[in-house]
PDB file of all heavy atoms in Angstrom:
ATOM      1  N   LYS P   9     -10.296 -64.469  26.212  1.00 99.00           N
ATOM      2  CA  LYS P   9      -8.918 -64.722  26.642  1.00 99.00           C
ATOM      3  C   LYS P   9      -8.243 -65.807  25.782  1.00 99.00           C
ATOM      4  O   LYS P   9      -8.913 -66.526  25.037  1.00 99.00           O
ATOM      5  CB  LYS P   9      -8.927 -65.121  28.124  1.00 99.00           C
ATOM      6  CG  LYS P   9      -9.438 -63.994  29.036  1.00 99.00           C
ATOM      7  CD  LYS P   9      -9.254 -64.349  30.499  1.00 99.00           C
ATOM      8  CE  LYS P   9      -9.770 -63.221  31.380  1.00 99.00           C
ATOM      9  NZ  LYS P   9      -9.517 -63.498  32.821  1.00 99.00           N
ATOM     10  N   TYR P  49      -3.876 -54.919  33.950  1.00 98.00           N
ATOM     11  CA  TYR P  49      -4.263 -55.541  35.221  1.00 98.00           C
ATOM     12  C   TYR P  49      -3.542 -54.902  36.413  1.00 98.00           C
ATOM     13  O   TYR P  49      -3.379 -55.558  37.438  1.00 98.00           O
ATOM     14  CB  TYR P  49      -3.962 -57.037  35.180  1.00 98.00           C
ATOM     15  CG  TYR P  49      -5.027 -57.881  34.478  1.00 98.00           C
ATOM     16  CD1 TYR P  49      -4.723 -58.622  33.344  1.00 98.00           C
ATOM     17  CD2 TYR P  49      -6.325 -57.968  34.973  1.00 98.00           C
ATOM     18  CE1 TYR P  49      -5.689 -59.414  32.715  1.00 98.00           C
ATOM     19  CE2 TYR P  49      -7.290 -58.758  34.356  1.00 98.00           C
ATOM     20  CZ  TYR P  49      -6.972 -59.475  33.239  1.00 98.00           C
ATOM     21  OH  TYR P  49      -7.941 -60.263  32.630  1.00 98.00           O
ATOM     22  N   HIS P  52      -4.343 -55.396  40.065  1.00 97.00           N
ATOM     23  CA  HIS P  52      -4.055 -56.681  40.708  1.00 97.00           C
ATOM     24  C   HIS P  52      -2.564 -56.877  40.964  1.00 97.00           C
ATOM     25  O   HIS P  52      -2.135 -57.989  41.275  1.00 97.00           O
ATOM     26  CB  HIS P  52      -4.552 -57.839  39.819  1.00 97.00           C
ATOM     27  CG  HIS P  52      -6.033 -57.871  39.637  1.00 97.00           C
ATOM     28  ND1 HIS P  52      -6.920 -57.923  40.685  1.00 97.00           N
ATOM     29  CD2 HIS P  52      -6.801 -57.845  38.512  1.00 97.00           C
ATOM     30  CE1 HIS P  52      -8.168 -57.942  40.225  1.00 97.00           C
ATOM     31  NE2 HIS P  52      -8.123 -57.882  38.916  1.00 97.00           N
ATOM     32  N   PHE P  57      -1.413 -63.916  42.135  1.00 98.00           N
ATOM     33  CA  PHE P  57      -1.599 -64.491  40.798  1.00 98.00           C
ATOM     34  C   PHE P  57      -1.202 -63.533  39.680  1.00 98.00           C
ATOM     35  O   PHE P  57      -1.344 -63.871  38.500  1.00 98.00           O
ATOM     36  CB  PHE P  57      -3.045 -64.960  40.607  1.00 98.00           C
ATOM     37  CG  PHE P  57      -4.106 -63.899  40.831  1.00 98.00           C
ATOM     38  CD1 PHE P  57      -4.402 -62.961  39.856  1.00 98.00           C
ATOM     39  CD2 PHE P  57      -4.806 -63.838  42.028  1.00 98.00           C
ATOM     40  CE1 PHE P  57      -5.366 -61.992  40.051  1.00 98.00           C
ATOM     41  CE2 PHE P  57      -5.785 -62.872  42.241  1.00 98.00           C
ATOM     42  CZ  PHE P  57      -6.061 -61.950  41.240  1.00 98.00           C
ATOM     43  N   LEU P  61      -1.064 -64.575  35.810  1.00 98.00           N
ATOM     44  CA  LEU P  61      -2.158 -64.010  35.011  1.00 98.00           C
ATOM     45  C   LEU P  61      -1.627 -63.235  33.802  1.00 98.00           C
ATOM     46  O   LEU P  61      -2.099 -63.422  32.675  1.00 98.00           O
ATOM     47  CB  LEU P  61      -3.012 -63.080  35.885  1.00 98.00           C
ATOM     48  CG  LEU P  61      -4.046 -62.217  35.165  1.00 98.00           C
ATOM     49  CD1 LEU P  61      -5.108 -63.081  34.492  1.00 98.00           C
ATOM     50  CD2 LEU P  61      -4.687 -61.227  36.136  1.00 98.00           C
ATOM     51  N   THR P  91     -16.062 -65.565  38.548  1.00 98.00           N
ATOM     52  CA  THR P  91     -14.661 -65.656  38.116  1.00 98.00           C
ATOM     53  C   THR P  91     -14.178 -67.104  38.124  1.00 98.00           C
ATOM     54  O   THR P  91     -13.520 -67.559  37.188  1.00 98.00           O
ATOM     55  CB  THR P  91     -13.768 -64.820  39.060  1.00 98.00           C
ATOM     56  OG1 THR P  91     -14.253 -63.482  39.070  1.00 98.00           O
ATOM     57  CG2 THR P  91     -12.320 -64.835  38.616  1.00 98.00           C
ATOM     58  N   ARG P 102     -18.635 -68.857  31.622  1.00 98.00           N
ATOM     59  CA  ARG P 102     -17.510 -69.479  32.347  1.00 98.00           C
ATOM     60  C   ARG P 102     -17.851 -70.901  32.807  1.00 98.00           C
ATOM     61  O   ARG P 102     -16.979 -71.782  32.807  1.00 98.00           O
ATOM     62  CB  ARG P 102     -17.086 -68.594  33.510  1.00 98.00           C
ATOM     63  CG  ARG P 102     -16.278 -67.373  33.023  1.00 98.00           C
ATOM     64  CD  ARG P 102     -16.142 -66.366  34.101  1.00 98.00           C
ATOM     65  NE  ARG P 102     -15.171 -65.312  33.806  1.00 98.00           N
ATOM     66  CZ  ARG P 102     -15.122 -64.165  34.481  1.00 98.00           C
ATOM     67  NH1 ARG P 102     -15.957 -63.946  35.463  1.00 98.00           N
ATOM     68  NH2 ARG P 102     -14.217 -63.256  34.160  1.00 98.00           N
ATOM     69  N   ILE P 109      -9.873 -71.008  37.302  1.00 98.00           N
ATOM     70  CA  ILE P 109     -10.062 -69.615  37.750  1.00 98.00           C
ATOM     71  C   ILE P 109      -9.188 -68.639  36.958  1.00 98.00           C
ATOM     72  O   ILE P 109      -9.566 -67.480  36.787  1.00 98.00           O
ATOM     73  CB  ILE P 109      -9.830 -69.481  39.280  1.00 98.00           C
ATOM     74  CG1 ILE P 109     -10.356 -68.125  39.785  1.00 98.00           C
ATOM     75  CG2 ILE P 109      -8.369 -69.702  39.631  1.00 98.00           C
ATOM     76  CD1 ILE P 109     -10.425 -68.007  41.285  1.00 98.00           C
ATOM     77  N   GLU P 110      -8.041 -69.065  36.470  1.00 98.00           N
ATOM     78  CA  GLU P 110      -7.195 -68.173  35.669  1.00 98.00           C
ATOM     79  C   GLU P 110      -7.592 -68.229  34.193  1.00 98.00           C
ATOM     80  O   GLU P 110      -7.876 -67.187  33.584  1.00 98.00           O
ATOM     81  CB  GLU P 110      -5.723 -68.562  35.814  1.00 98.00           C
ATOM     82  CG  GLU P 110      -4.807 -67.647  34.994  1.00 98.00           C
ATOM     83  CD  GLU P 110      -3.353 -67.939  35.284  1.00 98.00           C
ATOM     84  OE1 GLU P 110      -2.824 -67.325  36.236  1.00 98.00           O
ATOM     85  OE2 GLU P 110      -2.755 -68.783  34.588  1.00 98.00           O
ATOM     86  N   ASN P 112     -10.144 -68.444  32.499  1.00 98.00           N
ATOM     87  CA  ASN P 112     -11.602 -68.406  32.655  1.00 98.00           C
ATOM     88  C   ASN P 112     -12.299 -67.780  31.441  1.00 98.00           C
ATOM     89  O   ASN P 112     -13.403 -67.251  31.560  1.00 98.00           O
ATOM     90  CB  ASN P 112     -11.994 -67.736  33.977  1.00 98.00           C
ATOM     91  CG  ASN P 112     -11.537 -66.298  34.068  1.00 98.00           C
ATOM     92  OD1 ASN P 112     -10.869 -65.788  33.172  1.00 98.00           O
ATOM     93  ND2 ASN P 112     -11.907 -65.629  35.129  1.00 98.00           N
ATOM     94  N   HIS P 115     -13.125 -61.837  30.143  1.00 98.00           N
ATOM     95  CA  HIS P 115     -12.970 -60.758  31.126  1.00 98.00           C
ATOM     96  C   HIS P 115     -14.087 -59.755  30.908  1.00 98.00           C
ATOM     97  O   HIS P 115     -14.542 -59.567  29.773  1.00 98.00           O
ATOM     98  CB  HIS P 115     -11.616 -60.043  30.931  1.00 98.00           C
ATOM     99  CG  HIS P 115     -11.544 -58.748  31.681  1.00 98.00           C
ATOM    100  ND1 HIS P 115     -11.219 -58.670  33.016  1.00 98.00           N
ATOM    101  CD2 HIS P 115     -11.805 -57.475  31.284  1.00 98.00           C
ATOM    102  CE1 HIS P 115     -11.268 -57.403  33.402  1.00 98.00           C
ATOM    103  NE2 HIS P 115     -11.614 -56.658  32.377  1.00 98.00           N
TER     104      HIS P 115
HETATM  105  P1  LIG Y 201     -10.627 -61.321  35.280  1.00 82.74           P
HETATM  106  O1  LIG Y 201     -12.100 -61.104  35.368  1.00 82.74           O
HETATM  107  O2  LIG Y 201      -9.969 -61.036  33.990  1.00 82.74           O
HETATM  108  O3  LIG Y 201      -9.909 -60.455  36.433  1.00 82.74           O
HETATM  109  C1  LIG Y 201      -8.684 -60.834  37.032  1.00 82.74           C
HETATM  110  C2  LIG Y 201      -8.233 -62.191  36.609  1.00 82.74           C
HETATM  111  O4  LIG Y 201      -7.266 -62.817  37.432  1.00 82.74           O
HETATM  112  C3  LIG Y 201      -9.403 -63.155  36.655  1.00 82.74           C
HETATM  113  O5  LIG Y 201     -10.346 -62.858  35.656  1.00 82.74           O
HETATM  114  C4  LIG Y 201      -8.681 -64.496  36.513  1.00 82.74           C
HETATM  115  O6  LIG Y 201      -8.353 -64.776  35.162  1.00 82.74           O
HETATM  116  C5  LIG Y 201      -7.360 -64.225  37.249  1.00 82.74           C
HETATM  117  N1  LIG Y 201      -7.227 -64.914  38.526  1.00 82.74           N
HETATM  118  C6  LIG Y 201      -6.367 -65.898  38.781  1.00 82.74           C
HETATM  119  N2  LIG Y 201      -6.470 -66.303  40.038  1.00 82.74           N
HETATM  120  C7  LIG Y 201      -7.423 -65.571  40.617  1.00 82.74           C
HETATM  121  C8  LIG Y 201      -7.980 -65.535  41.925  1.00 82.74           C
HETATM  122  N3  LIG Y 201      -7.561 -66.351  42.906  1.00 82.74           N
HETATM  123  N4  LIG Y 201      -8.960 -64.639  42.173  1.00 82.74           N
HETATM  124  C9  LIG Y 201      -9.386 -63.806  41.181  1.00 82.74           C
HETATM  125  N5  LIG Y 201      -8.877 -63.803  39.917  1.00 82.74           N
HETATM  126  C10 LIG Y 201      -7.898 -64.683  39.638  1.00 82.74           C
END
Side-chain angles (χ1 to χ4, degrees):
K9 296 188 180 184
Y49 278 119
H52 295 304
F57 56 80
L61 170 64
T91 303
R102 284 167 168 164
I109 194 169
E110 180 173 272
N112 62 357
H115 167 83

